[in-house]
Amino acid sequence: MKIEKYLRNITFWHMMIGILSLATGVTFGLFQVLARAGIYKYGSFTYGTKIYYQGLTLHGVLNAIVFTTFFIVGFLYIVTEVSLKRKLNRGLVHLSFWTMVVGTLLAAWAILTNKATVLYTFYPPLQAHPAFYIGATLLIVGSWIAILNTVITHLKWRNENPGKLTPPPMVAVHATYAVWFLATIGVAVEVLFFLIPWSLGLVKSINPELARTLFWWFGHPLVYFWLLPAYLSWYFLLPRIAGGKLYSEPMARVVFLMFILFSLPVGTHHQFSDPGISSTWKAVQAFLTFMVAVPSLLTAFNLAASLEYAGRVRGGNGLFGWIKKLPWGDYRFAGMIGPMIVFIFGGISGIVNASYNVNQVVHNTSWIPGHFHLTVGTASAMTFLTLSYILMEKLFGKRPWSKKLATWHAYLWVVGVLIFSWGMMQLGRAGIPRRTHLGLSPYMNLEEKILMGISAVGGVLMFTSFLIYFINFLATVFKKPDVANVEEVDLEFTDAYHRENENLPRYLDNFTIWIAIAVFLLIVTYGPIFYDVFRSTYAVPNAFSPFNPLNLIK
Amino acid sequence: MKWDFIDEYEAWAFKISLGLVLVFFVAVIGIAVLKGIDVPTCVTDFKPFDKGELVQIGPREYQLKLLARMWSFQPNEVVIPVGSKVTIYTTSLDVQHGFEIEGKAVNLMTIPGAVNKAEIVFNRPGEYRFVCNEFCGIGHQSMYGVIKVLPEAEYEKWKQEHGM
Ligand code: HEM
Ligand SMILES: [Cu+2]
Ligand SMILES: [Cu+2]
């Protein structure tokens, strides 16, 4: 597919803004582990705490929201054009990009001037500057424009190709965007109807529990927005990189559709400890959370089978002999298999979190950052960094400046994050909270300080790995192309071992049905939850700066 | 349902995955019901309050009204005899806080405009640290307290010393 220069360039900028954000974010990550271990205190007490939480806000917002959203939107543009062989609307691409940029700048200004030290969950009654909320809204609206563009393009493709099945990578794109769109409605309602009027002083009170519930309507599906593009690459790029084929294409389709169904009506599993929601409805969403583990288990099966096939094609035999034959030295393989292996632990710890009453032991402890650095922090983030090399090659003909460094950065990260997360999880089990400048906490005992030190070692390795990546990536960007004048872009999607498209039921290619069922599940499970929240919680005339215990509302 | 578009092995993967999560779910809910280790539920019979205190409501039975504010708990030291059953109600005066007792399945979000509740029995003497586990501003890292569970005799002594 010929990809126009403008789209290649703008995808580059999506990627670049993402990566620069991540670079800033992980630098604060390094400070965090050092500060928590008590190694580095950022000068005076007041200055130190201010900057710890300001840094943590930056770390969360830049890594988990800005990096991911920019990167995903850019990557999915290319997947859409390549797999549909059809052009996106150029005007909308620009409109979306600039809306996202303006939003990000507004929010970044508020955080950098310390007017929005409220962490990436911005729970009221901690109050941020209106620019923070407005910026976040614009970032989301910008991503909606990208969704609109993609849907229009797909519909046109349908008209031109009656009876043809949607190409599988496009199914993944739709799943990602369907989940994101339905999820962001929750946070949009929270921000537009409650937080913005309240931060502008137009209304005086706010219901914090209602705000939390709307936030987590968004907050959990958010994690699938991060994960599904990584799954897309594991399903449709990795098997071919490994030298084989995707084991089952129909199962891949089913998996992505299951994510549309079960990613959304589960946000309450972040609120097991909340007041104002009855335990019955918490249990219902716990059940649906277990259901959303099913497509991930199926993914493990399908991908393992695909890799086994690749290993055998490469001459491996015996029960495990094929594993040795896989291309462990290929940076693209290393950069995806590493995150996949780490994600196994991420998934298992996720099941612990989801386990209803077991969650009482880990909720808001250091266990939780231990868990999600294995998921978004590795499974998604590291896969995206691998994709950044692949995109540089496919879009601009620039192979990595050093393939060796690209491979080693992946393995170093795996080692680092496993140490980091192990330490964090043990701390969590000891009851040590997350989001806390532990270096200044009076309640840490020696054993806990040692665990914090261990996780700091992991954090330093992660940071070193990122630095290697960053230097290598910049060197790749600035080097001369290996292939001049790229226009044809082929992402080299994998072939399938099982396809059976003739037997594929048509409802598996009708996204409207699945989105409708998802909306139905949302209404049925969230209806009673909102009813509970309304009957047992109240709005309060509160607004606070994180630096001052005096109410801003007189 | 006939799934002829999926081969035998995939169908098995599907059934095993589904079976696995169902077993997990039943186990978790089973424990919640049988052992009474449940998550907090919706409280409608207790209004938000603005004073924290420990009230004895029966022999070995206490009601702990726990108030969180930037950046301390009220009360931040609780002394009870071993074997006490404590019903904890918690709310916040300002922003969101958390309340978590080390080594116990008590982990409550402490939210202004809402009351959260947990019931817990302390069967072993010891000092139980509790901490705020939700970011609540720059004093967050030093927001903690302790529940002292004393053996019977020591508790009586403590009561006399404190004129109770
Ligand atoms: C050098 C690498 C990194 C280090 C050393 C690091 C370290 C940390 C630490 C210590 C925390 C917990 C702070 C606390 O709870 O007090 C944290 C939180 C967090 N990290 Fe990382 N991190 C790194 C990379 C990443 C990446 C790549 C992502 C995601 C793309 C990420 C996303 C997050 C998020 C979302 C939080 C939660 C923020 C909050 O609680 O508000 N981190 N990180
Ligand atoms: Cu979740
Ligand atoms: Cu706190």
Side-chain angles (χ1 to χ4, degrees):
Chain A
M1 168 73 192
K2 249 200 184 66
I3 300 236
E4 283 172 275
K5 191 144 198 232
Y6 95 90
L7 190 70
R8 280 184 280 141
N9 285 336
I10 209 160
T11 302
F12 172 77
W13 284 109
H14 278 89
M15 213 157 70
M16 207 56 201
I17 291 174
I19 291 165
L20 291 174
S21 304
L22 185 67
T24 318
V26 296
T27 307
F28 283 98
L30 179 67
F31 289 167
Q32 274 148 225
V33 281
L34 297 181
R36 283 164 64 96
I39 297 166
Y40 179 62
K41 291 218 164 54
Y42 310 96
S44 78
F45 179 84
T46 343
Y47 184 67
T49 43
K50 261 193 190 172
I51 207 149
Y52 184 87
Y53 296 114
Q54 182 185 21
L56 188 54
T57 308
L58 275 170
H59 185 78
V61 172
L62 290 179
N63 291 0
I65 311 284
V66 179
F67 161 58
T68 50
T69 309
F70 272 93
F71 196 93
I72 291 169
V73 167
F75 173 53
L76 296 191
Y77 278 149
I78 301 299
V79 174
T80 304
E81 285 216 349
V82 171
S83 64
L84 293 182
K85 302 199 169 30
R86 211 183 183 294
K87 292 203 183 324
L88 290 153
N89 180 307
R90 182 171 178 161
L92 286 180
V93 168
H94 281 108
L95 184 63
S96 155
F97 179 71
W98 289 108
T99 314
M100 282 167 43
V101 168
V102 171
T104 304
L105 288 176
L106 274 177
W109 170 81
I111 305 174
L112 289 171
T113 53
N114 225 336
K115 292 183 169 71
T117 298
V118 291
L119 307 190
Y120 85 105
T121 45
F122 47 84
Y123 294 141
L126 279 178
Q127 195 178 57
H129 192 282
F132 175 78
Y133 303 118
I134 295 170
T137 311
L138 288 178
L139 178 61
I140 288 172
V141 170
S143 70
W144 285 352
I145 299 172
I147 297 180
L148 181 72
N149 201 350
T150 309
V151 171
I152 293 176
T153 309
H154 186 228
L155 289 179
K156 287 194 177 146
W157 178 89
R158 277 241 152 117
N159 282 341
E160 290 160 8
N161 298 276
K164 252 199 189 168
L165 283 173
T166 308
M170 207 49 209
V171 177
V173 172
H174 278 306
T176 310
Y177 278 154
V179 167
W180 179 244
F181 181 70
L182 292 175
T184 44
I185 291 175
V187 72
V189 169
E190 179 197 5
V191 170
L192 291 177
F193 294 118
F194 298 100
L195 298 182
I196 291 180
W198 167 73
S199 71
L200 288 170
L202 302 175
V203 296
K204 295 239 177 291
S205 53
I206 184 106
N207 182 337
E209 184 54 33
L210 178 60
R212 281 177 72 80
T213 309
L214 287 167
F215 182 85
W216 287 113
W217 165 303
F218 155 79
H220 185 80
L222 169 65
V223 316
Y224 288 103
F225 174 66
W226 298 330
L227 190 63
L228 292 184
Y231 272 20
L232 191 166
S233 349
W234 300 350
Y235 269 106
F236 305 118
L237 296 176
L238 182 66
R240 180 144 165 198
I241 291 171
K245 290 178 180 177
L246 174 62
Y247 177 66
S248 165
E249 190 183 295
M251 207 52 159
R253 290 178 189 271
V254 171
V255 159
F256 283 104
L257 295 175
M258 285 182 80
F259 277 116
I260 300 183
L261 292 192
F262 297 121
S263 299
L264 289 141
V266 294
T268 309
H269 68 225
H270 292 255
Q271 297 178 280
F272 286 143
S273 289
D274 278 31
I277 300 172
S278 80
S279 51
T280 314
W281 290 101
K282 289 176 178 170
V284 169
Q285 291 218 351
F287 175 74
L288 292 166
T289 309
F290 276 87
M291 289 305 293
V292 78
V294 173
S296 283
L297 290 169
L298 295 174
T299 300
F301 173 77
N302 206 344
L303 294 180
S306 309
L307 292 180
E308 179 179 346
Y309 178 76
R312 296 202 188 282
V313 169
R314 289 167 158 269
N317 35 43
L319 198 52
F320 295 112
W322 56 271
I323 296 179
K324 277 196 300 245
K325 295 282 179 183
L326 292 173
W328 295 94
D330 180 331
Y331 68 99
R332 298 165 306 168
F333 185 77
M336 290 200 210
I337 194 83
M340 278 168 60
I341 292 170
V342 170
F343 189 63
I344 296 175
F345 300 100
I348 295 172
S349 51
I351 299 222
V352 173
N353 303 344
S355 294
Y356 193 65
N357 48 8
V358 181
N359 178 273
Q360 291 280 290
V361 180
V362 296
H363 174 73
N364 266 359
T365 67
S366 296
W367 167 282
I368 302 294
H371 154 73
F372 63 64
H373 284 84
L374 302 174
T375 57
V376 61
T378 301
S380 303
M382 289 303 113
T383 301
F384 295 169
L385 297 189
T386 308
L387 286 174
S388 75
Y389 286 132
I390 294 179
L391 287 174
M392 283 311 293
E393 177 176 351
K394 301 292 182 202
L395 300 181
F396 303 101
K398 295 180 181 183
R399 299 199 188 99
W401 179 67
S402 160
K403 289 182 180 167
K404 263 220 177 70
L405 286 182
T407 311
W408 283 109
H409 120 79
Y411 291 130
L412 183 59
W413 183 279
V414 169
V415 174
V417 77
L418 289 177
I419 298 175
F420 170 80
S421 286
W422 182 83
M424 296 291 277
M425 288 180 166
Q426 298 308 316
L427 271 176
R429 289 180 47 205
I432 296 301
R434 68 184 279 202
R435 308 186 132 175
T436 307
H437 190 341
L438 294 173
L440 298 175
S441 287
Y443 50 72
M444 300 275 287
N445 64 33
L446 182 65
E447 193 189 328
E448 290 155 0
K449 285 184 179 151
I450 292 171
L451 284 173
M452 206 47 251
I454 293 174
S455 79
V457 171
V460 170
L461 292 181
M462 287 156 77
F463 184 75
T464 313
S465 155
F466 181 82
L467 216 58
I468 294 173
Y469 159 80
F470 193 58
I471 294 168
N472 199 11
F473 182 75
L474 288 185
T476 308
V477 168
F478 289 114
K479 81 178 212 179
K480 276 212 179 65
D482 298 296
V483 184
N485 303 323
V486 181
E487 277 186 12
E488 265 324 297
V489 173
D490 180 0
L491 286 179
E492 303 186 36
F493 290 123
T494 184
D495 266 338
Y497 181 77
H498 272 286
R499 182 161 276 137
E500 322 216 10
N501 282 346
E502 322 76 57
N503 291 335
L504 198 80
R506 282 287 132 174
Y507 58 77
L508 288 183
D509 203 38
N510 184 339
F511 300 101
T512 320
I513 298 182
W514 301 96
I515 294 173
I517 303 178
V519 171
F520 173 77
L521 284 175
L522 268 170
I523 294 172
V524 170
T525 58
Y526 264 105
I529 288 173
F530 281 111
Y531 171 72
D532 277 349
V533 169
F534 283 120
R535 76 193 167 110
S536 67
T537 69
Y538 310 88
V540 287
N542 288 13
F544 286 85
S545 143
F547 307 120
N548 192 331
L550 289 181
N551 201 339
L552 297 169
I553 293 175
K554 311 282 166 329
Chain B
M1 190 159 19
K2 191 156 175 290
W3 282 15
D4 45 6
F5 61 98
I6 281 178
D7 85 354
E8 198 187 343
Y9 296 107
E10 293 153 10
W12 272 110
F14 195 91
K15 286 175 202 157
I16 292 173
S17 309
L18 202 63
L20 203 62
V21 302
L22 288 178
V23 167
F24 280 4
F25 184 72
V26 169
V28 164
I29 297 298
I31 295 287
V33 174
L34 295 177
K35 290 247 174 183
I37 308 175
D38 210 342
V39 302
T41 192
C42 181
V43 175
T44 46
D45 56 355
F46 208 94
K47 295 273 169 289
F49 45 91
D50 58 6
K51 186 168 178 293
E53 59 189 345
L54 180 74
V55 187
Q56 183 155 17
I57 50 175
R60 306 252 157 148
E61 259 195 76
Y62 294 86
Q63 184 183 75
L64 174 61
K65 289 207 292 187
L66 189 96
L67 188 68
R69 58 197 308 180
M70 294 156 105
W71 291 288
S72 61
F73 287 108
Q74 181 191 39
N76 69 1
E77 189 182 293
V78 175
V79 182
I80 47 171
V82 71
S84 299
K85 179 177 162 197
V86 185
T87 307
I88 303 164
Y89 290 94
T90 167
T91 188
S92 158
L93 277 190
D94 38 49
V95 299
Q96 304 193 11
H97 301 272
F99 169 73
E100 173 200 339
I101 307 178
E102 177 190 11
K104 286 275 173 194
V106 174
N107 198 329
L108 300 171
M109 291 308 300
T110 299
I111 311 272
V115 175
N116 212 344
K117 178 184 171 185
E119 268 177 20
I120 186 93
V121 181
F122 289 92
N123 278 326
R124 253 176 251 149
E127 297 207 351
Y128 295 80
R129 170 178 65 181
F130 60 85
V131 298
C132 173
N133 66 12
E134 185 53 83
F135 173 65
C136 55
I138 51 164
H140 165 59
Q141 65 282 338
S142 34
M143 196 168 153
Y144 80 117
V146 62
I147 299 177
K148 292 184 177 158
V149 181
L150 303 180
E152 193 60 35
E154 270 180 56
Y155 180 71
E156 289 306 323
K157 213 169 107 204
W158 179 88
K159 246 168 84 173
Q160 269 156 21
E161 277 166 14
H162 289 76
M164 288 171 79

